[in-house]
Amino acid sequence: MALPEIKQTATEARLAALELPTAGCTKPAREAAVARVREMGLPDRRDEYWKYTRPDTLVQADAPKAALFDNDEPLMFDQIDRLKIVFVDGIFDADASDDLSLEGVQIERLEDICCTDIHWAKDLYGVLETRGHNPVPRPLAALNTAFAADGVAIHVTGKPSKPISLIYVHKDEASDAFLHHIVRVESGAEATILENGPAAARFNKCMEIDIADGGILHHVRSQGRDHERRAVTHMFTRLGEESVYKSFTLTVNGVLTRNEQVIEILGDDAVAHVAGACVGDGDFHHDDTVFITHDAVNCESRQVFKKVLRNGATGVFQGKILVKAGAQKTDGYQISQSLLLDDDSQFLAKPELEIYADDVACSHGSTSGAIDETALFYLRSRGLPVADATDLLTLAFLAEAVEEIEDEDLAADIVNRLESWLSRRR
Amino acid sequence: MLEIKNLHVKLEEEEKQILKGVDLKVDSGKVHAIMGPNGSGKSTLSYVLSGRDGYEVTEGAASLDGEDLLELEPEERAAAGLFLAFQYPVEIPGVGNMTFLRTAVNAQRKARGEEELSAADFLKIVRERAKSLKINADMLKRPVNVGFSGGEKKRNEILQMAMLEPKMCILDETDSGLDVDAMKLVAEGVNALRDEGRGFLVITHYQRLLDHIKPDVVHIMADGRIVKTGGPELALEVENNGYADILAEVQ
Ligand SMILES: Nc1ncnc2c1ncn2[C@@H]1O[C@H](COP(=O)(O)OP(=O)(O)O)[C@@H](O)[C@H]1O
Ligand SMILES: [Mg+2]
């Protein structure tokens, strides 16, 4: 079907402003991705999938500038022993990065992958993204596959001793960055990937994750507190038998953030958890869009999203669990909750279940509420100033999402960060 | 000393007068009991003294050691030394009991210009005081009051009181919902805190609690007023004859 003219014009305008990298082995994938973008058209306000979030500034040819965020806070994950891979405005910075060798994992820069070899990357780059357009297109992810200037291929074959930490540095007020990472976790292997940093004025990031039977991947990400960030991220994850994927994202402030998680559970007895804690304090917009497909027996999925919104912040949650016929004994859980600290802020939620198997246990819930006045009075009557009491209740509200992080040190780091952000606000 | 003069209170949202002129003076070192039928305004008095929203003082005054309580925020009243053991302790999911206690103790110390307790000192004191109230390590770790039984909640209130060391303690029906053993435990906790420098206002329905916490003065409250004041024998009179006789007598 032909695209509406407006969409087509906008899409062509965007494509005209971009240049296809001369990347070797990903070339066919990139060309195919351009064709997909043309076919789907880039998102606009009329798209149902973008009902709550305006994609205009993510699509327009010129990236709106974003002031560098000055801050004196210690860097995220600073106390954690990790392998650092640094990108500045979306380009790998070898000097700032650690040596990429670590036992149990092979890490290569995408552009270094040898073109002539048979490389696992060829079977993954753009592949999960391509699968991820059903039932809704995600053209910004295809745009990323086509134009990603950089990224790494992470091949987990053992159990690396420390997390692989992707650090995104923002130095150019007008940067428009595309990063594309691919991750393959082999059978029985286990790793943790961390992501943090403001990245770019406009940041489009895509990660494709393929977890083989019995593989385990933990993902912990922090976005914020940079105010002028515009980011769209996609994580496409495919799970094999008895594999585990656990992802947590902390999102604080930022003009516009859309995080999509597309998860396909293809092997029996697999587990996928995605969680998010958001704090929006000001005219900020966070959108978590999750789509989980159960296509195997006896699998578990969990979505836990908590958003604290004040001073005009908007939180969006679109979460769907699709249980295919035959995906018996599926255990699907989804909760999205917002704590609205004033009347200027809003939470928009669209939780969905679509179930074609008969022996499943799926539940979802979404709530939106103010601070509990009775609890607030109780704390104040014990001597807590109203601001401290509010912070304590706010942290307690977010705790359920943060508790999804398995590693205690990482969880503590996130909690400390939240505490200092909450208290610094005053 | 807690001093309440001619206190009139109505609901903020409705034209409903609840307290209609309460006069009361509780000296340091003394235990006063307030008894009275349901709905007479006992809890309202305790809430208004501790600064809960939803009530409007239309007349009268309340002070603690000369400081006007009604002018203060709830947390300032707490720092000034006022403590209310709630009739219905509040559950706070996600906030660990221990964190809550330490935050409260240190917030009050800070407000009074005192140094915060070190984590080690705090832990030592809390363990010791929890032990005498038979509050185990698990209850200290769990979120505040979440999943606690009625008795555990009440003991947790007394633990908070013991940690905060207030000058004036108001106990609102701390005995309700407790069996005899639990009530004894709570009474022992309260008695351990009886001190020259500390006053108590014990609100109760039953004389039973007053067998264990011996009051110096007993007040009867009805329809928003203190209608009769006497010694411990007044509580026995209520126990034996109910409120009807007393109320008829003061009409
Ligand atoms: N927030 C409120 N809203 C409506 N009525 C109230 C409220 N608080 C107290 N009341 C009313 O005020 C009266 C006194 O209540 P309360 O102080 O709880 O009495 P007591 O503790 O002596 O049983 C009752 O009639 C009660 O229904
Ligand atoms: Mg009452």
Side-chain angles (χ1 to χ4, degrees), chain B residues 134-156:
Chain B
K134 296 209 165 74
I135 291 176
N136 59 28
D138 183 52
M139 274 174 69
L140 286 173
K141 251 190 258 157
R142 267 155 49 191
V144 180
N145 294 326
V146 177
F148 287 25
S149 70
E152 286 172 340
K153 283 181 181 169
K154 297 299 173 85
R155 277 186 276 148
N156 203 30

mmCIF file with all atom_site columns, all heavy atoms in Angstrom, chain B residues 134-156:
data_model
loop_
_atom_site.group_PDB
_atom_site.id
_atom_site.type_symbol
_atom_site.label_atom_id
_atom_site.label_alt_id
_atom_site.label_comp_id
_atom_site.label_asym_id
_atom_site.label_entity_id
_atom_site.label_seq_id
_atom_site.pdbx_PDB_ins_code
_atom_site.Cartn_x
_atom_site.Cartn_y
_atom_site.Cartn_z
_atom_site.occupancy
_atom_site.B_iso_or_equiv
_atom_site.pdbx_formal_charge
_atom_site.auth_seq_id
_atom_site.auth_comp_id
_atom_site.auth_asym_id
_atom_site.auth_atom_id
_atom_site.pdbx_PDB_model_num
ATOM 1   N N   . LYS B 1 134 ? 9.816  -7.761  72.409 1.00 0.00 ? 134 LYS B N   1
ATOM 2   C CA  . LYS B 1 134 ? 9.713  -9.002  71.636 1.00 0.00 ? 134 LYS B CA  1
ATOM 3   C C   . LYS B 1 134 ? 9.493  -8.728  70.134 1.00 0.00 ? 134 LYS B C   1
ATOM 4   O O   . LYS B 1 134 ? 8.689  -9.383  69.471 1.00 0.00 ? 134 LYS B O   1
ATOM 5   C CB  . LYS B 1 134 ? 8.608  -9.911  72.183 1.00 0.00 ? 134 LYS B CB  1
ATOM 6   C CG  . LYS B 1 134 ? 8.884  -10.411 73.596 1.00 0.00 ? 134 LYS B CG  1
ATOM 7   C CD  . LYS B 1 134 ? 8.221  -11.775 73.814 1.00 0.00 ? 134 LYS B CD  1
ATOM 8   C CE  . LYS B 1 134 ? 8.743  -12.501 75.033 1.00 0.00 ? 134 LYS B CE  1
ATOM 9   N NZ  . LYS B 1 134 ? 8.265  -11.932 76.322 1.00 0.00 ? 134 LYS B NZ  1
ATOM 10  N N   . ILE B 1 135 ? 10.202 -7.736  69.650 1.00 0.00 ? 135 ILE B N   1
ATOM 11  C CA  . ILE B 1 135 ? 10.177 -7.452  68.207 1.00 0.00 ? 135 ILE B CA  1
ATOM 12  C C   . ILE B 1 135 ? 11.442 -8.060  67.629 1.00 0.00 ? 135 ILE B C   1
ATOM 13  O O   . ILE B 1 135 ? 12.542 -7.677  68.003 1.00 0.00 ? 135 ILE B O   1
ATOM 14  C CB  . ILE B 1 135 ? 10.128 -5.930  67.958 1.00 0.00 ? 135 ILE B CB  1
ATOM 15  C CG1 . ILE B 1 135 ? 8.763  -5.396  68.394 1.00 0.00 ? 135 ILE B CG1 1
ATOM 16  C CG2 . ILE B 1 135 ? 10.403 -5.595  66.499 1.00 0.00 ? 135 ILE B CG2 1
ATOM 17  C CD1 . ILE B 1 135 ? 8.615  -3.904  68.304 1.00 0.00 ? 135 ILE B CD1 1
ATOM 18  N N   . ASN B 1 136 ? 11.274 -9.025  66.733 1.00 0.00 ? 136 ASN B N   1
ATOM 19  C CA  . ASN B 1 136 ? 12.449 -9.735  66.242 1.00 0.00 ? 136 ASN B CA  1
ATOM 20  C C   . ASN B 1 136 ? 13.089 -9.052  65.031 1.00 0.00 ? 136 ASN B C   1
ATOM 21  O O   . ASN B 1 136 ? 12.562 -8.080  64.490 1.00 0.00 ? 136 ASN B O   1
ATOM 22  C CB  . ASN B 1 136 ? 12.107 -11.198 65.934 1.00 0.00 ? 136 ASN B CB  1
ATOM 23  C CG  . ASN B 1 136 ? 11.005 -11.306 64.892 1.00 0.00 ? 136 ASN B CG  1
ATOM 24  O OD1 . ASN B 1 136 ? 10.865 -10.416 64.049 1.00 0.00 ? 136 ASN B OD1 1
ATOM 25  N ND2 . ASN B 1 136 ? 10.236 -12.374 64.939 1.00 0.00 ? 136 ASN B ND2 1
ATOM 26  N N   . ALA B 1 137 ? 14.238 -9.580  64.652 1.00 0.00 ? 137 ALA B N   1
ATOM 27  C CA  . ALA B 1 137 ? 15.026 -8.968  63.576 1.00 0.00 ? 137 ALA B CA  1
ATOM 28  C C   . ALA B 1 137 ? 14.220 -8.881  62.281 1.00 0.00 ? 137 ALA B C   1
ATOM 29  O O   . ALA B 1 137 ? 14.329 -7.913  61.533 1.00 0.00 ? 137 ALA B O   1
ATOM 30  C CB  . ALA B 1 137 ? 16.295 -9.774  63.351 1.00 0.00 ? 137 ALA B CB  1
ATOM 31  N N   . ASP B 1 138 ? 13.382 -9.890  62.062 1.00 0.00 ? 138 ASP B N   1
ATOM 32  C CA  . ASP B 1 138 ? 12.588 -9.918  60.842 1.00 0.00 ? 138 ASP B CA  1
ATOM 33  C C   . ASP B 1 138 ? 11.624 -8.738  60.785 1.00 0.00 ? 138 ASP B C   1
ATOM 34  O O   . ASP B 1 138 ? 11.463 -8.083  59.753 1.00 0.00 ? 138 ASP B O   1
ATOM 35  C CB  . ASP B 1 138 ? 11.831 -11.254 60.791 1.00 0.00 ? 138 ASP B CB  1
ATOM 36  C CG  . ASP B 1 138 ? 11.042 -11.392 59.523 1.00 0.00 ? 138 ASP B CG  1
ATOM 37  O OD1 . ASP B 1 138 ? 11.661 -11.198 58.448 1.00 0.00 ? 138 ASP B OD1 1
ATOM 38  O OD2 . ASP B 1 138 ? 9.828  -11.673 59.598 1.00 0.00 ? 138 ASP B OD2 1
ATOM 39  N N   . MET B 1 139 ? 10.983 -8.457  61.919 1.00 0.00 ? 139 MET B N   1
ATOM 40  C CA  . MET B 1 139 ? 10.047 -7.314  61.961 1.00 0.00 ? 139 MET B CA  1
ATOM 41  C C   . MET B 1 139 ? 10.764 -5.988  61.755 1.00 0.00 ? 139 MET B C   1
ATOM 42  O O   . MET B 1 139 ? 10.182 -5.021  61.280 1.00 0.00 ? 139 MET B O   1
ATOM 43  C CB  . MET B 1 139 ? 9.314  -7.282  63.305 1.00 0.00 ? 139 MET B CB  1
ATOM 44  C CG  . MET B 1 139 ? 8.077  -8.151  63.344 1.00 0.00 ? 139 MET B CG  1
ATOM 45  S SD  . MET B 1 139 ? 7.391  -8.190  65.012 1.00 0.00 ? 139 MET B SD  1
ATOM 46  C CE  . MET B 1 139 ? 6.795  -6.511  65.213 1.00 0.00 ? 139 MET B CE  1
ATOM 47  N N   . LEU B 1 140 ? 12.016 -5.938  62.125 1.00 0.00 ? 140 LEU B N   1
ATOM 48  C CA  . LEU B 1 140 ? 12.774 -4.697  61.924 1.00 0.00 ? 140 LEU B CA  1
ATOM 49  C C   . LEU B 1 140 ? 13.146 -4.506  60.464 1.00 0.00 ? 140 LEU B C   1
ATOM 50  O O   . LEU B 1 140 ? 13.280 -3.391  59.983 1.00 0.00 ? 140 LEU B O   1
ATOM 51  C CB  . LEU B 1 140 ? 14.047 -4.718  62.775 1.00 0.00 ? 140 LEU B CB  1
ATOM 52  C CG  . LEU B 1 140 ? 13.845 -4.515  64.271 1.00 0.00 ? 140 LEU B CG  1
ATOM 53  C CD1 . LEU B 1 140 ? 15.153 -4.717  65.015 1.00 0.00 ? 140 LEU B CD1 1
ATOM 54  C CD2 . LEU B 1 140 ? 13.273 -3.132  64.564 1.00 0.00 ? 140 LEU B CD2 1
ATOM 55  N N   . LYS B 1 141 ? 13.308 -5.632  59.788 1.00 0.00 ? 141 LYS B N   1
ATOM 56  C CA  . LYS B 1 141 ? 13.727 -5.576  58.391 1.00 0.00 ? 141 LYS B CA  1
ATOM 57  C C   . LYS B 1 141 ? 12.553 -5.305  57.461 1.00 0.00 ? 141 LYS B C   1
ATOM 58  O O   . LYS B 1 141 ? 12.687 -4.662  56.441 1.00 0.00 ? 141 LYS B O   1
ATOM 59  C CB  . LYS B 1 141 ? 14.377 -6.906  58.000 1.00 0.00 ? 141 LYS B CB  1
ATOM 60  C CG  . LYS B 1 141 ? 15.886 -6.793  57.801 1.00 0.00 ? 141 LYS B CG  1
ATOM 61  C CD  . LYS B 1 141 ? 16.451 -8.054  57.197 1.00 0.00 ? 141 LYS B CD  1
ATOM 62  C CE  . LYS B 1 141 ? 17.139 -8.907  58.240 1.00 0.00 ? 141 LYS B CE  1
ATOM 63  N NZ  . LYS B 1 141 ? 17.237 -10.311 57.899 1.00 0.00 ? 141 LYS B NZ  1
ATOM 64  N N   . ARG B 1 142 ? 11.400 -5.849  57.821 1.00 0.00 ? 142 ARG B N   1
ATOM 65  C CA  . ARG B 1 142 ? 10.242 -5.754  56.929 1.00 0.00 ? 142 ARG B CA  1
ATOM 66  C C   . ARG B 1 142 ? 9.771  -4.314  56.759 1.00 0.00 ? 142 ARG B C   1
ATOM 67  O O   . ARG B 1 142 ? 10.058 -3.453  57.561 1.00 0.00 ? 142 ARG B O   1
ATOM 68  C CB  . ARG B 1 142 ? 9.108  -6.612  57.502 1.00 0.00 ? 142 ARG B CB  1
ATOM 69  C CG  . ARG B 1 142 ? 9.132  -8.022  56.918 1.00 0.00 ? 142 ARG B CG  1
ATOM 70  C CD  . ARG B 1 142 ? 8.515  -9.073  57.768 1.00 0.00 ? 142 ARG B CD  1
ATOM 71  N NE  . ARG B 1 142 ? 7.194  -8.769  58.287 1.00 0.00 ? 142 ARG B NE  1
ATOM 72  C CZ  . ARG B 1 142 ? 6.593  -9.497  59.221 1.00 0.00 ? 142 ARG B CZ  1
ATOM 73  N NH1 . ARG B 1 142 ? 7.190  -10.554 59.720 1.00 0.00 ? 142 ARG B NH1 1
ATOM 74  N NH2 . ARG B 1 142 ? 5.404  -9.183  59.654 1.00 0.00 ? 142 ARG B NH2 1
ATOM 75  N N   . PRO B 1 143 ? 9.006  -4.061  55.691 1.00 0.00 ? 143 PRO B N   1
ATOM 76  C CA  . PRO B 1 143 ? 8.453  -2.720  55.513 1.00 0.00 ? 143 PRO B CA  1
ATOM 77  C C   . PRO B 1 143 ? 7.557  -2.356  56.703 1.00 0.00 ? 143 PRO B C   1
ATOM 78  O O   . PRO B 1 143 ? 6.904  -3.230  57.273 1.00 0.00 ? 143 PRO B O   1
ATOM 79  C CB  . PRO B 1 143 ? 7.630  -2.839  54.234 1.00 0.00 ? 143 PRO B CB  1
ATOM 80  C CG  . PRO B 1 143 ? 8.127  -4.046  53.534 1.00 0.00 ? 143 PRO B CG  1
ATOM 81  C CD  . PRO B 1 143 ? 8.648  -4.966  54.580 1.00 0.00 ? 143 PRO B CD  1
ATOM 82  N N   . VAL B 1 144 ? 7.534  -1.086  57.025 1.00 0.00 ? 144 VAL B N   1
ATOM 83  C CA  . VAL B 1 144 ? 6.814  -0.577  58.190 1.00 0.00 ? 144 VAL B CA  1
ATOM 84  C C   . VAL B 1 144 ? 5.380  -1.107  58.262 1.00 0.00 ? 144 VAL B C   1
ATOM 85  O O   . VAL B 1 144 ? 4.557  -0.804  57.388 1.00 0.00 ? 144 VAL B O   1
ATOM 86  C CB  . VAL B 1 144 ? 6.774  0.962   58.151 1.00 0.00 ? 144 VAL B CB  1
ATOM 87  C CG1 . VAL B 1 144 ? 6.026  1.509   59.377 1.00 0.00 ? 144 VAL B CG1 1
ATOM 88  C CG2 . VAL B 1 144 ? 8.183  1.531   58.086 1.00 0.00 ? 144 VAL B CG2 1
ATOM 89  N N   . ASN B 1 145 ? 5.115  -1.903  59.268 1.00 0.00 ? 145 ASN B N   1
ATOM 90  C CA  . ASN B 1 145 ? 3.778  -2.413  59.588 1.00 0.00 ? 145 ASN B CA  1
ATOM 91  C C   . ASN B 1 145 ? 3.140  -3.332  58.536 1.00 0.00 ? 145 ASN B C   1
ATOM 92  O O   . ASN B 1 145 ? 2.030  -3.820  58.730 1.00 0.00 ? 145 ASN B O   1
ATOM 93  C CB  . ASN B 1 145 ? 2.802  -1.271  59.885 1.00 0.00 ? 145 ASN B CB  1
ATOM 94  C CG  . ASN B 1 145 ? 3.174  -0.519  61.155 1.00 0.00 ? 145 ASN B CG  1
ATOM 95  O OD1 . ASN B 1 145 ? 3.687  -1.119  62.097 1.00 0.00 ? 145 ASN B OD1 1
ATOM 96  N ND2 . ASN B 1 145 ? 2.937  0.777   61.176 1.00 0.00 ? 145 ASN B ND2 1
ATOM 97  N N   . VAL B 1 146 ? 3.822  -3.553  57.417 1.00 0.00 ? 146 VAL B N   1
ATOM 98  C CA  . VAL B 1 146 ? 3.213  -4.356  56.358 1.00 0.00 ? 146 VAL B CA  1
ATOM 99  C C   . VAL B 1 146 ? 3.202  -5.829  56.769 1.00 0.00 ? 146 VAL B C   1
ATOM 100 O O   . VAL B 1 146 ? 4.241  -6.402  57.075 1.00 0.00 ? 146 VAL B O   1
ATOM 101 C CB  . VAL B 1 146 ? 3.949  -4.183  55.016 1.00 0.00 ? 146 VAL B CB  1
ATOM 102 C CG1 . VAL B 1 146 ? 3.348  -5.082  53.943 1.00 0.00 ? 146 VAL B CG1 1
ATOM 103 C CG2 . VAL B 1 146 ? 3.899  -2.728  54.576 1.00 0.00 ? 146 VAL B CG2 1
ATOM 104 N N   . GLY B 1 147 ? 2.035  -6.396  56.782 1.00 0.00 ? 147 GLY B N   1
ATOM 105 C CA  . GLY B 1 147 ? 1.890  -7.798  57.156 1.00 0.00 ? 147 GLY B CA  1
ATOM 106 C C   . GLY B 1 147 ? 2.037  -8.040  58.654 1.00 0.00 ? 147 GLY B C   1
ATOM 107 O O   . GLY B 1 147 ? 2.083  -9.183  59.088 1.00 0.00 ? 147 GLY B O   1
ATOM 108 N N   . PHE B 1 148 ? 2.100  -6.980  59.456 1.00 0.00 ? 148 PHE B N   1
ATOM 109 C CA  . PHE B 1 148 ? 2.175  -7.144  60.903 1.00 0.00 ? 148 PHE B CA  1
ATOM 110 C C   . PHE B 1 148 ? 0.784  -7.482  61.431 1.00 0.00 ? 148 PHE B C   1
ATOM 111 O O   . PHE B 1 148 ? -0.220 -6.981  60.914 1.00 0.00 ? 148 PHE B O   1
ATOM 112 C CB  . PHE B 1 148 ? 2.628  -5.838  61.586 1.00 0.00 ? 148 PHE B CB  1
ATOM 113 C CG  . PHE B 1 148 ? 4.083  -5.485  61.419 1.00 0.00 ? 148 PHE B CG  1
ATOM 114 C CD1 . PHE B 1 148 ? 4.822  -5.950  60.344 1.00 0.00 ? 148 PHE B CD1 1
ATOM 115 C CD2 . PHE B 1 148 ? 4.721  -4.670  62.350 1.00 0.00 ? 148 PHE B CD2 1
ATOM 116 C CE1 . PHE B 1 148 ? 6.172  -5.608  60.195 1.00 0.00 ? 148 PHE B CE1 1
ATOM 117 C CE2 . PHE B 1 148 ? 6.053  -4.325  62.210 1.00 0.00 ? 148 PHE B CE2 1
ATOM 118 C CZ  . PHE B 1 148 ? 6.778  -4.787  61.133 1.00 0.00 ? 148 PHE B CZ  1
ATOM 119 N N   . SER B 1 149 ? 0.742  -8.285  62.495 1.00 0.00 ? 149 SER B N   1
ATOM 120 C CA  . SER B 1 149 ? -0.541 -8.533  63.150 1.00 0.00 ? 149 SER B CA  1
ATOM 121 C C   . SER B 1 149 ? -0.894 -7.283  63.949 1.00 0.00 ? 149 SER B C   1
ATOM 122 O O   . SER B 1 149 ? -0.054 -6.390  64.133 1.00 0.00 ? 149 SER B O   1
ATOM 123 C CB  . SER B 1 149 ? -0.407 -9.717  64.096 1.00 0.00 ? 149 SER B CB  1
ATOM 124 O OG  . SER B 1 149 ? 0.400  -9.353  65.206 1.00 0.00 ? 149 SER B OG  1
ATOM 125 N N   . GLY B 1 150 ? -2.142 -7.234  64.417 1.00 0.00 ? 150 GLY B N   1
ATOM 126 C CA  . GLY B 1 150 ? -2.588 -6.081  65.203 1.00 0.00 ? 150 GLY B CA  1
ATOM 127 C C   . GLY B 1 150 ? -1.653 -5.809  66.379 1.00 0.00 ? 150 GLY B C   1
ATOM 128 O O   . GLY B 1 150 ? -1.246 -4.674  66.612 1.00 0.00 ? 150 GLY B O   1
ATOM 129 N N   . GLY B 1 151 ? -1.303 -6.866  67.083 1.00 0.00 ? 151 GLY B N   1
ATOM 130 C CA  . GLY B 1 151 ? -0.434 -6.729  68.246 1.00 0.00 ? 151 GLY B CA  1
ATOM 131 C C   . GLY B 1 151 ? 0.964  -6.257  67.865 1.00 0.00 ? 151 GLY B C   1
ATOM 132 O O   . GLY B 1 151 ? 1.568  -5.436  68.550 1.00 0.00 ? 151 GLY B O   1
ATOM 133 N N   . GLU B 1 152 ? 1.473  -6.784  66.750 1.00 0.00 ? 152 GLU B N   1
ATOM 134 C CA  . GLU B 1 152 ? 2.812  -6.383  66.291 1.00 0.00 ? 152 GLU B CA  1
ATOM 135 C C   . GLU B 1 152 ? 2.840  -4.901  65.928 1.00 0.00 ? 152 GLU B C   1
ATOM 136 O O   . GLU B 1 152 ? 3.803  -4.195  66.213 1.00 0.00 ? 152 GLU B O   1
ATOM 137 C CB  . GLU B 1 152 ? 3.224  -7.233  65.087 1.00 0.00 ? 152 GLU B CB  1
ATOM 138 C CG  . GLU B 1 152 ? 3.610  -8.661  65.479 1.00 0.00 ? 152 GLU B CG  1
ATOM 139 C CD  . GLU B 1 152 ? 3.837  -9.576  64.282 1.00 0.00 ? 152 GLU B CD  1
ATOM 140 O OE1 . GLU B 1 152 ? 3.339  -9.255  63.167 1.00 0.00 ? 152 GLU B OE1 1
ATOM 141 O OE2 . GLU B 1 152 ? 4.483  -10.612 64.469 1.00 0.00 ? 152 GLU B OE2 1
ATOM 142 N N   . LYS B 1 153 ? 1.757  -4.448  65.324 1.00 0.00 ? 153 LYS B N   1
ATOM 143 C CA  . LYS B 1 153 ? 1.695  -3.029  64.955 1.00 0.00 ? 153 LYS B CA  1
ATOM 144 C C   . LYS B 1 153 ? 1.760  -2.146  66.199 1.00 0.00 ? 153 LYS B C   1
ATOM 145 O O   . LYS B 1 153 ? 2.456  -1.134  66.228 1.00 0.00 ? 153 LYS B O   1
ATOM 146 C CB  . LYS B 1 153 ? 0.395  -2.729  64.196 1.00 0.00 ? 153 LYS B CB  1
ATOM 147 C CG  . LYS B 1 153 ? 0.433  -3.184  62.753 1.00 0.00 ? 153 LYS B CG  1
ATOM 148 C CD  . LYS B 1 153 ? -0.860 -2.850  62.045 1.00 0.00 ? 153 LYS B CD  1
ATOM 149 C CE  . LYS B 1 153 ? -0.813 -3.347  60.603 1.00 0.00 ? 153 LYS B CE  1
ATOM 150 N NZ  . LYS B 1 153 ? -2.098 -3.291  59.935 1.00 0.00 ? 153 LYS B NZ  1
ATOM 151 N N   . LYS B 1 154 ? 1.012  -2.562  67.225 1.00 0.00 ? 154 LYS B N   1
ATOM 152 C CA  . LYS B 1 154 ? 0.980  -1.755  68.446 1.00 0.00 ? 154 LYS B CA  1
ATOM 153 C C   . LYS B 1 154 ? 2.339  -1.756  69.144 1.00 0.00 ? 154 LYS B C   1
ATOM 154 O O   . LYS B 1 154 ? 2.808  -0.756  69.651 1.00 0.00 ? 154 LYS B O   1
ATOM 155 C CB  . LYS B 1 154 ? -0.126 -2.240  69.389 1.00 0.00 ? 154 LYS B CB  1
ATOM 156 C CG  . LYS B 1 154 ? -1.549 -2.093  68.813 1.00 0.00 ? 154 LYS B CG  1
ATOM 157 C CD  . LYS B 1 154 ? -1.875 -0.637  68.521 1.00 0.00 ? 154 LYS B CD  1
ATOM 158 C CE  . LYS B 1 154 ? -3.196 -0.437  67.790 1.00 0.00 ? 154 LYS B CE  1
ATOM 159 N NZ  . LYS B 1 154 ? -4.352 -0.392  68.656 1.00 0.00 ? 154 LYS B NZ  1
ATOM 160 N N   . ARG B 1 155 ? 2.995  -2.914  69.146 1.00 0.00 ? 155 ARG B N   1
ATOM 161 C CA  . ARG B 1 155 ? 4.323  -2.992  69.756 1.00 0.00 ? 155 ARG B CA  1
ATOM 162 C C   . ARG B 1 155 ? 5.312  -2.142  68.976 1.00 0.00 ? 155 ARG B C   1
ATOM 163 O O   . ARG B 1 155 ? 6.213  -1.535  69.530 1.00 0.00 ? 155 ARG B O   1
ATOM 164 C CB  . ARG B 1 155 ? 4.801  -4.448  69.802 1.00 0.00 ? 155 ARG B CB  1
ATOM 165 C CG  . ARG B 1 155 ? 4.252  -5.194  71.013 1.00 0.00 ? 155 ARG B CG  1
ATOM 166 C CD  . ARG B 1 155 ? 4.846  -6.562  71.101 1.00 0.00 ? 155 ARG B CD  1
ATOM 167 N NE  . ARG B 1 155 ? 4.136  -7.506  70.260 1.00 0.00 ? 155 ARG B NE  1
ATOM 168 C CZ  . ARG B 1 155 ? 4.695  -8.541  69.653 1.00 0.00 ? 155 ARG B CZ  1
ATOM 169 N NH1 . ARG B 1 155 ? 5.988  -8.769  69.774 1.00 0.00 ? 155 ARG B NH1 1
ATOM 170 N NH2 . ARG B 1 155 ? 3.968  -9.355  68.923 1.00 0.00 ? 155 ARG B NH2 1
ATOM 171 N N   . ASN B 1 156 ? 5.112  -2.110  67.655 1.00 0.00 ? 156 ASN B N   1
ATOM 172 C CA  . ASN B 1 156 ? 5.983  -1.300  66.807 1.00 0.00 ? 156 ASN B CA  1
ATOM 173 C C   . ASN B 1 156 ? 5.814  0.191   67.121 1.00 0.00 ? 156 ASN B C   1
ATOM 174 O O   . ASN B 1 156 ? 6.774  0.960   67.078 1.00 0.00 ? 156 ASN B O   1
ATOM 175 C CB  . ASN B 1 156 ? 5.674  -1.593  65.340 1.00 0.00 ? 156 ASN B CB  1
ATOM 176 C CG  . ASN B 1 156 ? 6.836  -1.273  64.417 1.00 0.00 ? 156 ASN B CG  1
ATOM 177 O OD1 . ASN B 1 156 ? 8.000  -1.369  64.819 1.00 0.00 ? 156 ASN B OD1 1
ATOM 178 N ND2 . ASN B 1 156 ? 6.527  -0.872  63.195 1.00 0.00 ? 156 ASN B ND2 1
#
